[in-house]
Amino acid sequence: AYETGGGIDPHGDGPLYEPAAVVVSLESSARLDFHHRGKRRAAVLLRPRSLVAFSGDAYEAWAHGVPAATEDEVDALVGNLAAAGAGVGDVV
């Protein structure tokens, strides 16, 4: 379990879970950010009781993390807006 608002720094999992990783959000929404070459380039909005799995380049070449915040702003980098029932500018 993680502290509310604590975040998880962008990181790669290396061979620990290879070839895929799974992230679960239990009690609250969270924005999972993907970074490539040091810059945030994509994100997925996790709703409570949701799961995202990723592999391939997303696992091997990109870092992932959760920003330290008690609320996350949804922006145009979030790739699952419709599936998450969110829109750009929403705060979750």
Side-chain angles (χ1 to χ4, degrees):
Y2 296 96
E3 294 293 323
T4 300
I8 302 168
D9 289 335
H11 65 282
D13 292 320
L16 186 60
Y17 304 109
E18 196 170 1
V22 175
V23 177
V24 177
S25 180
L26 297 175
E27 294 184 9
S28 63
S29 294
R31 195 185 73 211
L32 179 65
D33 291 339
F34 288 88
H35 300 257
H36 192 253
R37 297 187 176 142
K39 184 175 179 184
R40 180 176 168 259
R41 303 204 182 251
V44 174
L45 180 60
L46 295 169
R47 291 299 201 172
R49 300 172 308 281
S50 66
L51 171 145
V52 64
F54 53 95
S55 61
D57 283 347
Y59 182 86
E60 296 169 9
W62 293 53
H64 57 278
V66 175
T70 55
E71 296 179 323
D72 293 307
E73 183 174 345
V74 178
D75 61 20
L77 292 179
V78 174
N80 66 327
L81 292 172
V88 172
D90 288 355
V91 176
V92 297

